[in-house]
């Protein structure tokens, strides 16, 4: 990341407020929202941009400032190699999946479709017929400990034509 890219990532007031809250130890969107007084949407957008810029990491233990990356920039005194760019698909999956568990379903249809395709590809073989109970079991594994439930997930998969259904039997077309 160049100094210019770093400055760009922190040029927005909301991103600086979110960065400061994370620096002070707020490890999730709700605590950052409470500290900054910003809307949850503004905080989530700022977090995503800070993560994409490589300034913040978002892992199973929460949000953290990437201190090593900042030290690397300070030592270099100028531009350094950017972190590997994540594809939009990888960024979406990283945002909504933690250790193979769905944290929540995206509200935006395009992002939700990317996530649903990922889940369908990893849970169901094309053409294989599954009874409803097997589908529920496979989807429960994705939802354990997250904010989504397997029934909603199943409905979205059927609505988006990623799973077909007939008399309680499901298959991936």
């Amino acid at each position: 990341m160049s100094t210019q890219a770093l400055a760009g990532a922190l040029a927005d007031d909301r991103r600086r407020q979110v960065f400061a809250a994370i620096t002070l130890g707020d490890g999730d969107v709700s605590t950052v929202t409470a500290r900054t007084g910003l809307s949850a949407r503004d905080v989530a957008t700022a977090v995503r941009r800070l993560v994409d810029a490589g300034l913040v990491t978002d892992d199973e233990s929460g949000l953290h400032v990437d201190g090593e990356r900042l030290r690397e920039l300070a030592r270099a005194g100028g531009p350094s190699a950017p972190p590997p760019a994540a594809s939009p698909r990888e960024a979406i999956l990283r945002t909504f999946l933690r250790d193979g568990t769905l944290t929540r379903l995206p509200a935006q249809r395009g992002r939700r479709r990317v996530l649903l395709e990922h889940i369908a590809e990893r849970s169901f073989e094309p053409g294989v017929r599954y009874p409803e109970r097997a589908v529920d079991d496979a989807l429960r594994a994705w939802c354990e400990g997250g904010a989504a439930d397997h029934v909603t997930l199943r409905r979205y998969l059927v609505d988006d034509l990623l799973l077909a259904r007939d008399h309680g039997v499901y298959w991936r077309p």
Side-chain angles (χ1 to χ4, degrees), residues 2 11 22 39 95 99 124 140 154 171:
S2 68
I22 294 168
S39 71
T95 300
D99 297 324
F124 308 105
R140 264 191 206 100
R154 185 183 67 212
W171 65 95

Side-chain angles (χ1 to χ4, degrees), residues 4 6 39 41 48 63 72-73 78 85 91-92 115 123-124 130 137-138 143 147-148 154-155 162 166:
Q4 182 179 13
L6 176 63
S39 71
R41 181 180 182 173
R48 188 175 61 248
L63 300 169
E72 177 184 308
L73 284 168
I92 291 167
L115 189 64
S123 301
F124 308 105
Y130 298 92
D137 289 343
C143 298
R154 185 183 67 212
R155 187 189 73 225
L162 295 169
D166 186 34

Side-chain angles (χ1 to χ4, degrees), residues 15-166:
R15 285 195 297 266
R16 280 195 309 277
Q17 287 178 322
V18 169
F19 184 77
I22 294 168
T23 301
L24 292 172
D26 292 337
D28 58 52
V29 170
S30 62
T31 56
V32 172
T33 300
R35 182 184 295 265
T36 62
L38 297 170
S39 71
R41 181 180 182 173
D42 285 344
V43 170
T45 300
V47 166
R48 188 175 61 248
R49 292 207 174 137
L50 292 168
V51 167
D52 290 346
L55 293 172
V56 171
T57 58
D58 185 7
D59 56 27
E60 61 276 351
S61 63
L63 300 169
H64 304 283
V65 172
D66 190 346
E68 183 56 38
R69 184 79 176 130
L70 291 175
R71 283 188 287 282
E72 177 184 308
L73 284 168
R75 280 192 300 270
S80 65
S87 72
R89 176 183 167 91
E90 290 169 345
I92 291 167
L93 296 177
R94 188 177 63 231
T95 300
F96 295 100
L97 292 174
R98 294 285 180 270
D99 297 324
T101 299
L102 182 62
T103 58
R104 66 188 190 281
L105 283 167
Q108 192 176 32
R109 192 174 198 287
R111 289 182 178 178
R112 189 172 55 235
R113 175 68 186 209
V114 168
L115 189 64
L116 292 172
E117 287 173 353
H118 175 81
I119 290 170
E121 290 167 1
R122 286 175 176 57
S123 301
F124 308 105
E125 292 295 321
V128 175
R129 306 268 175 175
Y130 298 92
E132 187 167 313
R133 182 179 200 108
V135 172
D136 286 348
D137 289 343
L139 297 179
R140 264 191 206 100
W142 288 98
C143 298
E144 265 181 42
D149 67 281
H150 71 282
V151 175
T152 302
L153 188 54
R154 185 183 67 212
R155 187 189 73 225
Y156 278 131
L157 287 166
V158 171
D159 289 350
D160 277 16
L161 304 177
L162 295 169
L163 280 183
R165 172 180 59 197
D166 186 34

